[in-house]
Amino acid sequence: MKKTLLLSVMLFLTCGFANAATPWWEQPTICRIDTTRCYVSMGAGYDSEIWDADANCRGMKYICAEAFSVSKSEPTLVSKSDITSGKDLNSQDFDFTKLNGNCFGVRKTDANGSTAHVNGKNVNVWCTGILDNVDETVPTGEITYGAQPTCQSLWDSGYIGVLNGRCYGKYYDPSKYYVKCGSDLLPTQIVILNGADDSGLSGTLPSDEQDRAAKFFQSMVSAAAAARKSE
């Protein structure tokens, strides 16, 4: 009996001294808030002090206003679960893993940045200065959300819708080239004028004279092509 009592006292003292050496707030029996962060590291684009109740962790992302599918006027904090599910976000057009200044949400691009996602579809990224109506500037150029340029609308300003580096649109001097547009973006015909003036084919002539002039011009093109082959 005495041995049992002595052993109990010794165990109590041993445990008591061990617990006394550890602050109560660090002891394993104390309940704590889980401070596990949602993200491995946080900096620009994050608020590390905000508690994400959905994910039961600390830290939330700011999503850029333009990346929402609902109207927003400024970057907004979004929970991790809402980013994963895409709630109120334009997931088809924006990448929320990429930082865009002080918030997340970069417009998705393809083909080395020469096309961009708009409303789930790919549109051409046009070289700076070509579009009459610019809706957004991306790293490789400019895009419009509405009607895209046509062959004729581009040629009216001296441009052809070909890839020019990482954007579309290359300038051709109208005084040096004759361009014929069809229904596609690219011209059906491009002719080097070699100093000839095609202003006579402007459409101001009577229709029969216009047709004759066009046929004559075409015969000149054919003759020139035949001459080049025979060289």
Side-chain angles (χ1 to χ4, degrees), residues 108-117 122-125 140 166 168:
K108 295 177 182 178
T109 59
D110 294 312
N112 199 27
S114 62
T115 63
H117 292 226
N122 272 7
V123 301
N124 287 342
V125 175
T140 51
R166 298 177 64 192
Y168 281 86

Side-chain angles (χ1 to χ4, degrees), residues 32-145:
R32 302 178 182 81
I33 295 176
D34 182 7
T35 56
T36 302
R37 294 184 173 186
C38 286
Y39 304 99
V40 176
S41 61
M42 287 182 275
Y46 294 92
D47 190 326
S48 60
E49 300 302 318
I50 296 294
W51 181 259
D52 186 346
D54 289 346
N56 192 33
C57 58
R58 193 173 302 280
M60 294 176 72
K61 273 185 177 181
Y62 279 102
I63 302 299
C64 300
E66 59 270 22
F68 282 85
S69 58
V70 295
S71 179
K72 296 283 184 180
S73 59
E74 59 185 16
T76 303
L77 287 170
V78 179
S79 69
K80 194 170 187 179
S81 62
D82 283 350
I83 293 175
T84 301
S85 67
K87 181 181 178 182
D88 295 333
L89 299 175
N90 186 356
S91 303
Q92 63 180 353
D93 293 343
F94 288 86
D95 184 346
F96 305 114
T97 66
K98 295 181 179 179
L99 189 63
N100 184 9
N102 63 347
C103 55
F104 284 87
V106 173
R107 186 173 291 278
K108 295 177 182 178
T109 59
D110 294 312
N112 199 27
S114 62
T115 63
H117 292 226
V118 175
N119 298 324
K121 298 180 180 179
N122 272 7
V123 301
N124 287 342
V125 175
W126 298 95
C127 299
T128 303
I130 292 178
L131 291 176
D132 292 331
N133 182 27
V134 177
D135 289 314
E136 184 180 333
T137 299
V138 295
T140 51
E142 299 171 338
I143 61 174
T144 180
Y145 304 152

